[in-house]
Amino acid sequence: MTLKEFYRKLLHISSCSIALSYLWFFKDRSIMLIIVGTLTLVSIVLEFLRNKNNYIQKIFERYFNFMLRKNEIKGSFTGATWLLLGNFLTIFIFPIFVAVPALLYLSIGDAIAALVGKNFRRFTIGKKSLVGSFFGFLCGLIFVSLVNKVLPFHILMFGSIVAMITEILPIAIDDNLSIPLLSGLTIMILI
């Protein structure tokens, strides 16, 4: 695993602070939407500015290019922006007891799947490691089970399964958006 990918996944895992803040500190959906919405809006504005303003682009290149993938350097939205957008929409659409697990499957499960998958490339679907996805499923499920006080285990398990299926399939939508939305939808259907 490259240092770039390590930093990306570290940032990914740190995003669990959004879900845990929602669960433990800011239990009000409106407050979380304002916080995450503001962060998302700032991120989107920065995305546009880095592609239009040379000064902002140079600052961005200096401090963040070491973490970016080729398509992001060329101007696509960064994974961080997609992650914030996925967090915002998940909090907006689902009640707290569904949004928190869905967000944790993204921040914990997806990151672990990538970290483990980079080292176990033997069994793959496309570029994704089945071993990595299994560990992402397991770690996501364990972490969510530790903080969950509402949903039965079997619903959490299916949510984690759908999150990792979404992670492994070559869907055109960024998985930072699709993982929490599809796992959240699965939980809502099962409830």
Side-chain angles (χ1 to χ4, degrees), residues 48-63:
F48 285 113
L49 288 177
R50 79 179 174 102
N51 291 313
K52 302 289 185 201
N53 183 295
N54 287 335
Y55 179 73
I56 300 292
Q57 186 177 33
K58 289 188 186 312
I59 292 172
F60 205 90
E61 286 173 0
R62 182 175 182 180
Y63 293 105

PDB file of all heavy atoms in Angstrom, residues 48-63:
ATOM      1  N   PHE A  48     -14.585  23.612  -6.859  1.00  0.00           N
ATOM      2  CA  PHE A  48     -14.719  24.491  -8.023  1.00  0.00           C
ATOM      3  C   PHE A  48     -13.586  25.507  -8.081  1.00  0.00           C
ATOM      4  O   PHE A  48     -13.029  25.759  -9.150  1.00  0.00           O
ATOM      5  CB  PHE A  48     -16.083  25.185  -8.022  1.00  0.00           C
ATOM      6  CG  PHE A  48     -17.202  24.272  -8.413  1.00  0.00           C
ATOM      7  CD1 PHE A  48     -18.172  23.912  -7.492  1.00  0.00           C
ATOM      8  CD2 PHE A  48     -17.280  23.751  -9.696  1.00  0.00           C
ATOM      9  CE1 PHE A  48     -19.200  23.056  -7.844  1.00  0.00           C
ATOM     10  CE2 PHE A  48     -18.300  22.887 -10.063  1.00  0.00           C
ATOM     11  CZ  PHE A  48     -19.268  22.531  -9.133  1.00  0.00           C
ATOM     12  N   LEU A  49     -13.225  26.062  -6.936  1.00  0.00           N
ATOM     13  CA  LEU A  49     -12.165  27.069  -6.913  1.00  0.00           C
ATOM     14  C   LEU A  49     -10.811  26.495  -7.306  1.00  0.00           C
ATOM     15  O   LEU A  49     -10.027  27.152  -7.989  1.00  0.00           O
ATOM     16  CB  LEU A  49     -12.073  27.726  -5.532  1.00  0.00           C
ATOM     17  CG  LEU A  49     -13.193  28.681  -5.165  1.00  0.00           C
ATOM     18  CD1 LEU A  49     -13.012  29.196  -3.744  1.00  0.00           C
ATOM     19  CD2 LEU A  49     -13.265  29.842  -6.154  1.00  0.00           C
ATOM     20  N   ARG A  50     -10.534  25.272  -6.882  1.00  0.00           N
ATOM     21  CA  ARG A  50      -9.231  24.688  -7.220  1.00  0.00           C
ATOM     22  C   ARG A  50      -9.096  24.424  -8.716  1.00  0.00           C
ATOM     23  O   ARG A  50      -8.002  24.323  -9.244  1.00  0.00           O
ATOM     24  CB  ARG A  50      -8.944  23.430  -6.414  1.00  0.00           C
ATOM     25  CG  ARG A  50      -9.643  22.181  -6.910  1.00  0.00           C
ATOM     26  CD  ARG A  50      -9.275  20.981  -6.046  1.00  0.00           C
ATOM     27  NE  ARG A  50     -10.055  19.826  -6.426  1.00  0.00           N
ATOM     28  CZ  ARG A  50      -9.600  18.831  -7.166  1.00  0.00           C
ATOM     29  NH1 ARG A  50      -8.351  18.842  -7.601  1.00  0.00           N
ATOM     30  NH2 ARG A  50     -10.371  17.821  -7.467  1.00  0.00           N
ATOM     31  N   ASN A  51     -10.229  24.340  -9.404  1.00  0.00           N
ATOM     32  CA  ASN A  51     -10.200  24.154 -10.857  1.00  0.00           C
ATOM     33  C   ASN A  51     -10.288  25.458 -11.635  1.00  0.00           C
ATOM     34  O   ASN A  51     -10.046  25.475 -12.831  1.00  0.00           O
ATOM     35  CB  ASN A  51     -11.345  23.226 -11.285  1.00  0.00           C
ATOM     36  CG  ASN A  51     -11.115  21.811 -10.818  1.00  0.00           C
ATOM     37  OD1 ASN A  51     -10.035  21.265 -10.969  1.00  0.00           O
ATOM     38  ND2 ASN A  51     -12.133  21.217 -10.220  1.00  0.00           N
ATOM     39  N   LYS A  52     -10.626  26.567 -10.949  1.00  0.00           N
ATOM     40  CA  LYS A  52     -10.816  27.843 -11.638  1.00  0.00           C
ATOM     41  C   LYS A  52      -9.826  28.930 -11.213  1.00  0.00           C
ATOM     42  O   LYS A  52      -9.566  29.844 -11.964  1.00  0.00           O
ATOM     43  CB  LYS A  52     -12.236  28.380 -11.375  1.00  0.00           C
ATOM     44  CG  LYS A  52     -13.346  27.444 -11.793  1.00  0.00           C
ATOM     45  CD  LYS A  52     -13.446  27.352 -13.278  1.00  0.00           C
ATOM     46  CE  LYS A  52     -14.644  26.490 -13.668  1.00  0.00           C
ATOM     47  NZ  LYS A  52     -14.557  25.965 -14.993  1.00  0.00           N
ATOM     48  N   ASN A  53      -9.281  28.831 -10.026  1.00  0.00           N
ATOM     49  CA  ASN A  53      -8.436  29.881  -9.474  1.00  0.00           C
ATOM     50  C   ASN A  53      -7.017  29.350  -9.273  1.00  0.00           C
ATOM     51  O   ASN A  53      -6.813  28.403  -8.511  1.00  0.00           O
ATOM     52  CB  ASN A  53      -9.039  30.360  -8.142  1.00  0.00           C
ATOM     53  CG  ASN A  53      -8.266  31.491  -7.521  1.00  0.00           C
ATOM     54  OD1 ASN A  53      -7.115  31.319  -7.128  1.00  0.00           O
ATOM     55  ND2 ASN A  53      -8.907  32.644  -7.409  1.00  0.00           N
ATOM     56  N   ASN A  54      -6.044  29.962  -9.948  1.00  0.00           N
ATOM     57  CA  ASN A  54      -4.661  29.473  -9.883  1.00  0.00           C
ATOM     58  C   ASN A  54      -4.083  29.520  -8.466  1.00  0.00           C
ATOM     59  O   ASN A  54      -3.333  28.635  -8.069  1.00  0.00           O
ATOM     60  CB  ASN A  54      -3.762  30.265 -10.836  1.00  0.00           C
ATOM     61  CG  ASN A  54      -4.014  29.898 -12.274  1.00  0.00           C
ATOM     62  OD1 ASN A  54      -4.482  28.802 -12.565  1.00  0.00           O
ATOM     63  ND2 ASN A  54      -3.726  30.811 -13.172  1.00  0.00           N
ATOM     64  N   TYR A  55      -4.419  30.559  -7.715  1.00  0.00           N
ATOM     65  CA  TYR A  55      -3.906  30.694  -6.347  1.00  0.00           C
ATOM     66  C   TYR A  55      -4.412  29.544  -5.460  1.00  0.00           C
ATOM     67  O   TYR A  55      -3.627  28.895  -4.765  1.00  0.00           O
ATOM     68  CB  TYR A  55      -4.313  32.054  -5.767  1.00  0.00           C
ATOM     69  CG  TYR A  55      -3.843  32.263  -4.347  1.00  0.00           C
ATOM     70  CD1 TYR A  55      -2.501  32.496  -4.073  1.00  0.00           C
ATOM     71  CD2 TYR A  55      -4.742  32.214  -3.292  1.00  0.00           C
ATOM     72  CE1 TYR A  55      -2.058  32.677  -2.771  1.00  0.00           C
ATOM     73  CE2 TYR A  55      -4.315  32.399  -1.989  1.00  0.00           C
ATOM     74  CZ  TYR A  55      -2.974  32.622  -1.732  1.00  0.00           C
ATOM     75  OH  TYR A  55      -2.540  32.797  -0.443  1.00  0.00           O
ATOM     76  N   ILE A  56      -5.708  29.285  -5.520  1.00  0.00           N
ATOM     77  CA  ILE A  56      -6.302  28.188  -4.732  1.00  0.00           C
ATOM     78  C   ILE A  56      -5.745  26.847  -5.222  1.00  0.00           C
ATOM     79  O   ILE A  56      -5.440  25.956  -4.424  1.00  0.00           O
ATOM     80  CB  ILE A  56      -7.844  28.199  -4.833  1.00  0.00           C
ATOM     81  CG1 ILE A  56      -8.422  29.519  -4.307  1.00  0.00           C
ATOM     82  CG2 ILE A  56      -8.452  27.014  -4.106  1.00  0.00           C
ATOM     83  CD1 ILE A  56      -8.280  29.750  -2.835  1.00  0.00           C
ATOM     84  N   GLN A  57      -5.586  26.721  -6.519  1.00  0.00           N
ATOM     85  CA  GLN A  57      -5.060  25.484  -7.084  1.00  0.00           C
ATOM     86  C   GLN A  57      -3.653  25.201  -6.569  1.00  0.00           C
ATOM     87  O   GLN A  57      -3.328  24.070  -6.207  1.00  0.00           O
ATOM     88  CB  GLN A  57      -5.061  25.566  -8.611  1.00  0.00           C
ATOM     89  CG  GLN A  57      -4.665  24.282  -9.289  1.00  0.00           C
ATOM     90  CD  GLN A  57      -4.758  24.411 -10.795  1.00  0.00           C
ATOM     91  OE1 GLN A  57      -4.520  25.486 -11.362  1.00  0.00           O
ATOM     92  NE2 GLN A  57      -5.105  23.318 -11.446  1.00  0.00           N
ATOM     93  N   LYS A  58      -2.819  26.216  -6.492  1.00  0.00           N
ATOM     94  CA  LYS A  58      -1.445  26.036  -5.995  1.00  0.00           C
ATOM     95  C   LYS A  58      -1.437  25.649  -4.515  1.00  0.00           C
ATOM     96  O   LYS A  58      -0.650  24.796  -4.096  1.00  0.00           O
ATOM     97  CB  LYS A  58      -0.623  27.293  -6.240  1.00  0.00           C
ATOM     98  CG  LYS A  58      -0.284  27.516  -7.702  1.00  0.00           C
ATOM     99  CD  LYS A  58       0.684  28.648  -7.888  1.00  0.00           C
ATOM    100  CE  LYS A  58       0.917  28.978  -9.348  1.00  0.00           C
ATOM    101  NZ  LYS A  58       1.184  27.875 -10.210  1.00  0.00           N
ATOM    102  N   ILE A  59      -2.286  26.268  -3.723  1.00  0.00           N
ATOM    103  CA  ILE A  59      -2.386  25.903  -2.301  1.00  0.00           C
ATOM    104  C   ILE A  59      -2.851  24.456  -2.168  1.00  0.00           C
ATOM    105  O   ILE A  59      -2.297  23.674  -1.389  1.00  0.00           O
ATOM    106  CB  ILE A  59      -3.349  26.862  -1.555  1.00  0.00           C
ATOM    107  CG1 ILE A  59      -2.738  28.252  -1.477  1.00  0.00           C
ATOM    108  CG2 ILE A  59      -3.672  26.337  -0.163  1.00  0.00           C
ATOM    109  CD1 ILE A  59      -3.682  29.311  -0.944  1.00  0.00           C
ATOM    110  N   PHE A  60      -3.860  24.106  -2.950  1.00  0.00           N
ATOM    111  CA  PHE A  60      -4.405  22.747  -2.909  1.00  0.00           C
ATOM    112  C   PHE A  60      -3.341  21.731  -3.321  1.00  0.00           C
ATOM    113  O   PHE A  60      -3.166  20.695  -2.671  1.00  0.00           O
ATOM    114  CB  PHE A  60      -5.629  22.663  -3.834  1.00  0.00           C
ATOM    115  CG  PHE A  60      -6.588  21.590  -3.453  1.00  0.00           C
ATOM    116  CD1 PHE A  60      -7.618  21.844  -2.567  1.00  0.00           C
ATOM    117  CD2 PHE A  60      -6.466  20.314  -3.968  1.00  0.00           C
ATOM    118  CE1 PHE A  60      -8.512  20.854  -2.207  1.00  0.00           C
ATOM    119  CE2 PHE A  60      -7.346  19.312  -3.620  1.00  0.00           C
ATOM    120  CZ  PHE A  60      -8.372  19.583  -2.736  1.00  0.00           C
ATOM    121  N   GLU A  61      -2.626  22.043  -4.404  1.00  0.00           N
ATOM    122  CA  GLU A  61      -1.560  21.146  -4.873  1.00  0.00           C
ATOM    123  C   GLU A  61      -0.493  20.961  -3.803  1.00  0.00           C
ATOM    124  O   GLU A  61      -0.004  19.857  -3.592  1.00  0.00           O
ATOM    125  CB  GLU A  61      -0.923  21.695  -6.152  1.00  0.00           C
ATOM    126  CG  GLU A  61      -1.790  21.550  -7.367  1.00  0.00           C
ATOM    127  CD  GLU A  61      -1.219  22.251  -8.586  1.00  0.00           C
ATOM    128  OE1 GLU A  61      -0.119  22.865  -8.498  1.00  0.00           O
ATOM    129  OE2 GLU A  61      -1.886  22.212  -9.640  1.00  0.00           O
ATOM    130  N   ARG A  62      -0.132  22.037  -3.152  1.00  0.00           N
ATOM    131  CA  ARG A  62       0.937  21.971  -2.147  1.00  0.00           C
ATOM    132  C   ARG A  62       0.571  21.092  -0.955  1.00  0.00           C
ATOM    133  O   ARG A  62       1.399  20.347  -0.445  1.00  0.00           O
ATOM    134  CB  ARG A  62       1.272  23.379  -1.684  1.00  0.00           C
ATOM    135  CG  ARG A  62       2.388  23.418  -0.686  1.00  0.00           C
ATOM    136  CD  ARG A  62       2.776  24.821  -0.350  1.00  0.00           C
ATOM    137  NE  ARG A  62       3.891  24.796   0.589  1.00  0.00           N
ATOM    138  CZ  ARG A  62       4.455  25.850   1.072  1.00  0.00           C
ATOM    139  NH1 ARG A  62       4.044  27.040   0.702  1.00  0.00           N
ATOM    140  NH2 ARG A  62       5.439  25.755   1.910  1.00  0.00           N
ATOM    141  N   TYR A  63      -0.680  21.194  -0.496  1.00  0.00           N
ATOM    142  CA  TYR A  63      -1.057  20.516   0.738  1.00  0.00           C
ATOM    143  C   TYR A  63      -1.845  19.224   0.561  1.00  0.00           C
ATOM    144  O   TYR A  63      -1.884  18.405   1.486  1.00  0.00           O
ATOM    145  CB  TYR A  63      -1.856  21.475   1.636  1.00  0.00           C
ATOM    146  CG  TYR A  63      -1.023  22.614   2.143  1.00  0.00           C
ATOM    147  CD1 TYR A  63      -1.162  23.888   1.603  1.00  0.00           C
ATOM    148  CD2 TYR A  63      -0.075  22.418   3.136  1.00  0.00           C
ATOM    149  CE1 TYR A  63      -0.382  24.942   2.053  1.00  0.00           C
ATOM    150  CE2 TYR A  63       0.708  23.468   3.585  1.00  0.00           C
ATOM    151  CZ  TYR A  63       0.545  24.727   3.046  1.00  0.00           C
ATOM    152  OH  TYR A  63       1.325  25.755   3.497  1.00  0.00           O
TER     153      TYR A  63
END
